Amino acid sequence: MPFQPMLGGMVATQSDVEPTPFRDLDVTRSDSSLRRFLHGLPGVDQVGAEQRAAALGTRSIKTSAKAFALDLAISMVDLTTLEGQDTPGKVRTLAAKAMRPDPSDATCPATAAVCVYPDMVATAKEALGSSGVKVAAVATAFPSGRAAMDIKLADTRDAVEAGADEIDMVIDRGAFLAGRYLEIYEEIAQVREACRRENGESAHLKVILETGELQTYDNVRRASWLGMLAGGHFIKTSTGKVQPAATLPVTLIMLEAVRDFREATGTMIGVKPAGGIRTAKDAIKFLVTVNEVAGPDWLDPDWFRFGASTLLNDLLMQRMKMKTGRYSGPDYVTVD
């Protein structure tokens, strides 16, 4: 099915261009039309995708490039705490770590964001102040997404009103697997509208696909396109609560989707793998994949994030190893 271009040129930052819903595509707004479009996307070669991801994962990089990659990865982390036992004190501690990951080294970059439940947004916002570190909030009945739409929208509005800069929503995977694509589209579009503030500004919307429940790589590609067509600023692999979470082949497929979407529409969409990325070595594999699949434009916190709670510690220890020539003990970094 042909595209009708939605925007003319490339975009440089998240604030320049808002993702545009698919009303400008040559399809009607119906389940049948969306089905024809999504099932008309090229199928994923499972063996090929896994082999390419494995090959990219073996790439070695020079020492100078590794130092750059470690700092870049730190700047892309959404430092996350999403537990029932979260307290204001824990969130403040996490915010302090996000702003100054290595208190002994002022050259260490801050993380991109702190990700919390909606009831902790105000605490995180106050703690982060004018640091530039964003506050991301999970919403829409995270992690299951099993709630009535009015509850999901209220969840989102509460987080936005409390000051969230970014909303990480979950799609209804049951509806997606049942082929109710228009329902998912409308859900994303309504949540995006709920992200708008009274002053006209909008929190950025990350659409969590929960790829571990989507069953096939073809479904990952379809869900990625659906999230972009409906207006998501980012597409995100996982909640971190379901395994498998952020695998390299799945992320590769999502990177192909955002690359192809920009080529077709001129609109650039971000990607966020989340869950299971724990080591600097793994993070560098993802950055190599970003560069090789989507391109260097995505090597920026505006366009690529890591959703993680423990990754930052290993990045910091590897960074110190490069500076001092030795590994620090586990007490070098704070325990999240």
Side-chain angles (χ1 to χ4, degrees), residues 4 11 17 135 224 227 242 260 330:
Q4 299 296 324
V11 295
V17 176
V135 177
S224 296
V242 170
D260 294 347

Side-chain angles (χ1 to χ4, degrees), residues 254-277:
M254 293 170 66
L255 288 165
E256 288 178 341
V258 298
R259 177 200 65 197
D260 294 347
F261 190 80
R262 183 172 77 164
E263 184 177 339
T265 69
T267 301
M268 194 164 168
I269 305 295
V271 175
K272 178 180 173 180
I277 306 171

Side-chain angles (χ1 to χ4, degrees), residues 47-58 247-250 252 285 289:
V47 174
E50 292 176 351
Q51 287 181 341
R52 188 180 185 201
L56 291 171
T58 63
T247 68
L248 205 56
V250 158
L252 183 150
K285 290 178 182 179
T289 303

Side-chain angles (χ1 to χ4, degrees), residues 270-290:
V271 175
K272 178 180 173 180
I277 306 171
R278 297 185 174 88
T279 68
K281 183 177 180 180
D282 286 340
I284 290 173
K285 290 178 182 179
F286 278 84
L287 294 181
V288 169
T289 303
V290 171

